[in-house]
Amino acid sequence: MKYIVLGLGHFGRSLAIHLTESGHEVIAADKNLSIVEQNKDKITHTVCMDSTDKEAVSSLPLRESNAVIVAIGEDEGASLLTIALLKQLKVKRIIGRVVSDLQKTVLEAMNIEEYIMPEEEAAERLAMRLDNIDIVDSFKVSEKYSIIETKVPSKYIGMTLKEADLTNKYKVIVLTTVKTETATTGDGVTRVSKEASGIAKSDTILQENDILVLFGELSNIKNLIQKG
């Protein structure tokens, strides 16, 4: 997959490197030439440019990219201008970095549904989501084990957990299932709400659009997702 990361501060740099190490093509841009030079050997492509410059941004392969991540944090104005420019250029998937409640409110008003908080862990979690579109979120418990939220694989829809037998087949534990609901407010903002169904039991039925919360080794969880 191909991703564009705009802003190579601590968060943007961490995200771009994680994605590159996962085998994706990454174009990372920053207006600071020294930062670009420092990271050129760790990221697929690095570019020195101003992300608020329409002509410069238009030169990037926006339509061929799976997502554009605006990782700018120190300059909220530049971040919002960049996102507005990407909306104007009709980028299909924009993920914004949020550093304040006000910025989050503005992004929601702009109908930006995906945004992340500026911790290095969030960069790793986002990289994992981008690496596999079926992963909704993740949390590393240790070097070996993780908790992953993922969509119910289509082959298991309608089955009970006993029938699916995921623990024996893939060596993972289903902690719970989560229901999601999407609603649009009167001002046109789309919000997604989640509600866990409690501790998973053998008779829990896996339904379409449910999210599985899994515990296990990442390799085993990815195996389940890929074969599902």
Side-chain angles (χ1 to χ4, degrees):
M1 291 186 175
K2 180 181 289 187
Y3 298 104
I4 296 174
V5 178
L6 302 177
L8 283 174
H10 184 70
F11 175 82
R13 180 171 64 252
S14 178
L15 175 62
I17 291 172
H18 277 305
L19 288 172
T20 300
E21 290 175 345
S22 296
H24 301 287
E25 181 179 357
V26 181
I27 300 173
D30 196 281
K31 64 181 181 181
N32 187 318
L33 180 59
S34 64
I35 291 177
V36 170
E37 288 293 317
Q38 288 169 19
N39 292 280
K40 66 180 182 180
D41 295 328
K42 303 173 186 176
I43 301 166
T44 316
H45 309 287
T46 53
V47 182
C48 184
M49 58 169 281
D50 181 355
S51 64
T52 65
D53 183 326
K54 184 175 182 179
E55 185 175 346
V57 174
S58 298
S59 68
L60 297 172
L62 300 173
R63 293 188 178 182
E64 293 78 27
S65 297
N66 296 90
V68 179
I69 301 96
V70 180
I72 301 167
E74 67 281 356
D75 188 339
E76 290 186 50
S79 176
L80 292 173
L81 284 172
T82 299
I83 291 172
L85 177 56
L86 294 172
K87 290 280 287 184
Q88 185 181 23
L89 294 171
K90 302 186 185 306
V91 173
K92 58 186 176 183
R93 187 181 183 191
I94 304 168
I95 302 174
R97 178 183 174 184
V98 173
V99 295
S100 71
D101 290 339
L102 177 59
Q103 189 179 16
K104 180 179 176 181
T105 300
V106 173
L107 290 187
E108 289 176 343
M110 294 169 68
N111 288 322
I112 301 298
E113 298 177 3
E114 292 185 85
Y115 44 81
I116 57 304
M117 303 302 288
E119 304 98 0
E120 184 171 354
E121 179 190 352
E124 187 173 352
R125 290 165 67 188
L126 177 58
M128 188 178 294
R129 280 170 47 201
L130 294 172
D131 189 39
N132 190 313
I133 60 173
D134 290 321
I135 290 180
V136 178
D137 205 351
S138 64
F139 176 75
K140 184 184 286 187
V141 177
S142 67
E143 286 303 314
K144 190 174 182 180
Y145 293 102
S146 296
I147 294 174
I148 303 288
E149 291 185 5
T150 184
K151 301 172 185 175
V152 174
S154 58
K155 68 187 291 183
Y156 297 115
I157 292 173
M159 290 186 184
T160 63
L161 280 177
K162 182 177 181 180
E163 293 168 336
D165 198 23
L166 301 180
T167 300
N168 287 325
K169 288 179 180 176
Y170 298 102
K171 296 182 175 60
V172 301
I173 297 172
V174 179
L175 300 178
T176 188
T177 58
V178 178
K179 305 288 183 186
T180 60
E181 291 187 5
T182 303
T184 303
T185 62
D187 54 4
V189 176
T190 300
R191 299 183 186 280
V192 178
S193 60
K194 295 181 180 181
E195 184 174 350
S197 58
I199 297 173
K201 301 177 181 178
S202 60
D203 61 353
T204 297
I205 298 174
L206 304 178
Q207 298 180 350
E208 189 173 7
N209 299 323
D210 276 2
I211 295 172
L212 288 176
V213 181
L214 304 170
F215 172 81
E217 293 186 39
L218 183 58
S219 59
N220 290 332
I221 294 174
K222 284 188 172 182
N223 189 32
L224 184 163
I225 294 169
Q226 290 164 1
K227 291 184 177 180

